[in-house]
Amino acid sequence: MRRESFETLYFDGKQLVMLDQRKLPNVSEYAYAANTADIYNAIKDMIVRGAPLIGCTAAYGVYFAAKESKNEEEFLRKCDYLISSRPTAVNLKWAVDRMKNVAIKSNLDLNEILKEAERIKKEDIEANLNLSKYGASLIKENSTVLTHCNAGALATAGWGTAVGVIKMAYNQGKVKKVYADETRPRLQGARLTSYELIDYGIPATLIPDSAAAVLIRDKKIDAIVVGADRIALNGDTANKIGTFALSVIAKAYSVPLYIAAPLSTIDFNIQSGDLIPIEERDRMEVLDPQGCGDLIAPKNIDVFNPSFDITPNENISAIITEKGIIYPPFIENIKKLKDRD
Ligand code: MRU
C-alpha cells in the first residue's frame, strides 16, 4: 500500500520520540530526548532537521526546560540555549517564543506547556495540507517538477511543504515525474526525498545537483518547488545551499521557482535576506559525507561548508503559504498578508 506521510516525532508521556533522520533510508530507527540538552543535540546533530520540524522539536524542548527550571530566569536561559542550536531556520525561534508566552502566562504550568507543544505539532500538519492545496493549483497538467533538499513530511510534523505541494498535485493527476537534487553535502535529497517519493509511489529520478542546469536548459522541467528556512519581509529566502544557483538558472530559462512554507517561516523582523544568519557547518560533512571515516578529499584541505544560501526575491515566482499564494511585489503582499492575519 502507498504511504501518505511519515510520523517524524511524538511525545510518549515521558520523552520525545524522533525518527532518526541521520540513519535513513537504510535504517529506520527512533531516537529519544528526555531533557533540554537532548533536544538541543537532536537539532544540532540533525537527528531531526527541516525548519518546521526543528520548530516542533524545540517546542517540546521548552516543556523540558520548564520541567527542569527552578525559576523563570533559569527557564529563559534554557529557552535561549534551545534557540542557539541552529541559527538559520526561524521556525525554531518562532516556536520557542510562542511556547515561552504560554509558559510565562501559566506560571510554568507543565500541562499547559505540553498542550501548546502538541498544538504547534497539529497546526504544522494542517498548515502543510492547506499550503499544498494552494500550491497544487500552480502546477500545470503533465508537469515534471524539480525539488531540492528535503521539504517533505520528514522535514515537518507531517505531510510536508514543497513535497506536500508535489504530492497533492500528483494525487490530482498533474505530475508526470519528479527530479530530486541529491543535495550535497548532507544528501537530504538522495537519502530523504527519494525515500519519500518512492514510498508515495511518485515517479522520481535522483540527480547530482550539477545536473539540474542541463535539465532546465533542455526544457525538461516545468516548475521548481522548494522549501524555506527563513523568508525576509521583501521575499528574499534562505533555503538549503544550492537553491540560489538553481534560482539563477531557472530565471535565465523562464522556469517558475516556487517557495512553499508555512507563515512560521516568515521572519517579520527582517527586511531583507542579507540580514539572515547563515549556518556554517563542520568541515567533516564535506570531507566525509557518510560519516564512515572514508574521506573523499585530503584531510588537510581547507573547506567552506555553508548550510544555506539566500535566493533573491526577483528569482522567486511565488511564495506558497497556508493562507494563500504571495506574488511579487513581495514587500507589499507579505505585509498585506500579515495585516490580514
Ligand atoms: O539542513 P536541513 O536539512 O535542516 O535543511 C532543510 C532545508 O533547507 C529545507 O528545505 C527547509 O528547512 C524547509 S523544510 C520544509
Side-chain angles (χ1 to χ4, degrees):
M1 224 186 45
R2 271 189 0 175
R3 188 197 275 270
E4 275 251 295
S5 186
F6 284 82
E7 181 158 42
T8 46
L9 90 186
Y10 63 90
F11 186 69
D12 73 358
K14 269 205 178 121
Q15 18 176 32
L16 189 67
V17 185
M18 303 160 291
L19 188 57
D20 189 342
Q21 303 204 16
R22 299 168 307 181
K23 299 188 174 156
L24 291 172
N26 296 326
V27 178
S28 188
E29 234 171 54
Y30 285 90
Y32 302 86
N35 55 49
T36 315
D38 287 350
I39 296 281
Y40 173 93
N41 289 326
I43 295 172
K44 194 171 181 52
D45 298 344
M46 294 172 72
I47 289 172
V48 290
R49 30 68 50 198
L53 184 58
I54 290 172
C56 292
T57 307
Y60 290 95
V62 174
Y63 165 76
F64 290 122
K67 203 170 163 192
E68 292 157 15
S69 297
K70 287 183 281 307
N71 51 44
E72 194 176 305
E73 201 191 338
E74 187 182 356
F75 168 69
L76 294 176
R77 237 191 349 261
K78 283 182 187 283
C79 288
D80 287 345
Y81 165 67
L82 284 170
I83 291 175
S84 71
S85 54
R86 284 193 83 185
T88 305
V90 77
N91 306 60
L92 172 56
K93 183 172 175 340
W94 171 86
V96 171
D97 283 349
R98 183 169 149 177
M99 292 292 298
K100 240 164 50 177
N101 273 340
V102 170
I104 304 291
K105 268 197 202 128
S106 69
N107 220 354
L108 303 195
D109 180 319
L110 291 178
N111 268 335
E112 288 303 313
I113 297 171
L114 187 57
K115 264 198 259 163
E116 188 67 3
E118 300 282 21
R119 213 173 287 131
I120 286 177
K121 179 184 167 187
K122 185 167 161 275
E123 285 176 16
D124 183 56
I125 300 172
E126 287 164 4
N128 295 335
L129 280 163
N130 284 332
L131 72 84
S132 294
K133 284 180 201 148
Y134 286 116
S137 71
L138 294 171
I139 307 295
K140 301 205 173 79
E141 294 291 335
N142 219 21
S143 282
T144 297
V145 183
L146 174 77
T147 191
H148 188 67
C149 191
N150 173 264
L154 291 169
T156 66
W159 185 261
T161 60
V163 175
V165 169
I166 295 169
K167 195 167 30 169
M168 189 76 78
Y170 176 78
N171 291 346
Q172 295 170 357
K174 295 200 287 189
V175 172
K176 195 168 61 185
K177 178 190 176 85
V178 178
Y179 282 101
D181 279 353
E182 64 176 352
T183 317
R184 289 197 173 238
R186 291 292 292 239
L187 303 170
Q188 291 94 330
R191 295 187 303 105
L192 308 174
T193 302
S194 309
Y195 180 56
E196 285 198 42
L197 292 170
I198 285 178
D199 269 23
Y200 304 148
I202 301 177
T205 299
L206 176 65
I207 56 168
D209 300 331
S210 42
V214 173
L215 288 172
I216 293 169
R217 181 201 61 196
D218 293 347
K219 302 193 184 339
K220 300 267 170 55
I221 307 293
D222 299 298
I224 299 169
V225 190
V226 296
D229 284 81
R230 193 186 297 224
I231 301 170
L233 281 178
N234 68 349
D236 290 352
T237 294
N239 191 47
K240 180 54 57 196
I241 189 76
T243 309
F244 165 54
L246 205 53
S247 79
V248 173
I249 300 160
K251 192 171 184 198
Y253 289 93
S254 304
V255 173
L257 179 130
Y258 301 118
I259 303 289
L263 291 177
S264 52
T265 305
I266 300 180
D267 187 340
F268 292 99
N269 297 310
I270 277 193
Q271 293 296 329
S272 60
D274 50 350
L275 298 169
I276 299 178
I278 299 292
E279 176 183 13
E280 275 190 46
R281 292 189 60 88
D282 197 284
R283 62 197 298 277
M284 288 311 288
E285 289 189 344
V286 176
L287 296 180
D288 183 11
Q290 296 281 59
C292 59
D294 244 344
L295 302 200
I296 60 168
K299 69 172 181 306
N300 49 354
I301 186 71
D302 185 36
V303 174
F304 174 49
N305 183 21
S307 195
F308 303 95
D309 56 26
I310 307 292
T311 297
N313 57 34
E314 66 267 22
N315 292 0
I316 297 169
S317 309
I319 298 171
I320 305 159
T321 77
E322 70 273 33
K323 288 276 162 75
I325 300 168
I326 312 174
Y327 292 100
F330 292 116
I331 203 144
E332 282 158 47
N333 293 337
I334 289 178
K335 193 171 173 309
K336 269 191 212 152
L337 193 88
K338 183 176 185 251
D339 294 343
R340 222 182 61 191
D341 223 22

